[in-house]
């Protein structure tokens, strides 16, 4: 008898946990029955996707080349072992 009581209580407890999950109206999932509202960022990204491609770059060519050169230069410098070493090297460079 104790076994059956334990099994019954376990079934009732698990049924209660299942009943607490979201119920989907008309058998539809949450994403269909409760659609998410579009954010400003989503809207702006969609506008950017829909806009026609420009015939020229948004950045002037020289600015792009200079940026790439500066990025490349950062990889040439060694990584300091500590912040103190970096501060010391910056102090030497400024004098």
């Amino acid at each position: 008898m104790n076994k059956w009581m334990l099994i019954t209580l376990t079934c009732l407890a698990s049924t209660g946990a299942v009943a607490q999950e979201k119920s989907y109206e008309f058998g539809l999932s949450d994403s269909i029955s409760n659609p998410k509202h579009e954010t400003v960022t989503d809207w702006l990204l969609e506008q950017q996707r829909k806009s026609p491609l420009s015939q020229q770059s948004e950045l002037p060519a020289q600015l792009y080349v200079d940026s790439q050169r500066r990025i490349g230069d950062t990889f040439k410098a060694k990584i300091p072992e500590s912040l103190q070493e970096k501060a010391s090297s910056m102090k030497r460079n400024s004098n």
Side-chain angles (χ1 to χ4, degrees):
M1 177 148 166
N2 285 339
K3 268 188 189 179
W4 291 109
M5 214 171 188
L6 184 61
I7 291 172
T8 304
L9 287 175
T10 305
C11 289
L12 287 175
S14 62
T15 305
V18 170
Q20 289 177 356
E21 291 182 16
K22 287 186 177 181
S23 62
Y24 299 115
E25 296 179 27
F26 310 112
L28 301 175
S29 69
D30 190 40
S31 62
I32 295 173
S33 63
N34 296 325
K36 306 274 186 281
H37 295 290
E38 187 176 33
T39 64
V40 174
T41 306
D42 291 335
W43 181 81
L44 288 171
L45 288 172
E46 186 61 31
Q47 296 302 314
Q48 185 177 8
R49 279 191 288 273
K50 288 180 179 178
S51 67
L53 296 174
S54 63
Q55 296 302 317
Q56 61 185 22
S57 173
E58 295 177 7
L59 293 174
Q62 190 58 47
L63 178 63
Y64 177 77
V65 170
D66 291 343
S67 300
Q68 294 300 311
R69 186 174 294 127
R70 279 195 302 273
I71 290 170
D73 290 344
T74 62
F75 289 104
K76 292 177 185 173
K78 77 173 195 138
I79 299 173
E81 293 293 326
S82 67
L83 291 175
Q84 182 63 39
E85 183 182 333
K86 181 173 175 116
S88 299
S89 69
M90 291 178 75
K91 192 182 288 185
R92 275 185 263 135
N93 291 340
S94 66
N95 287 338

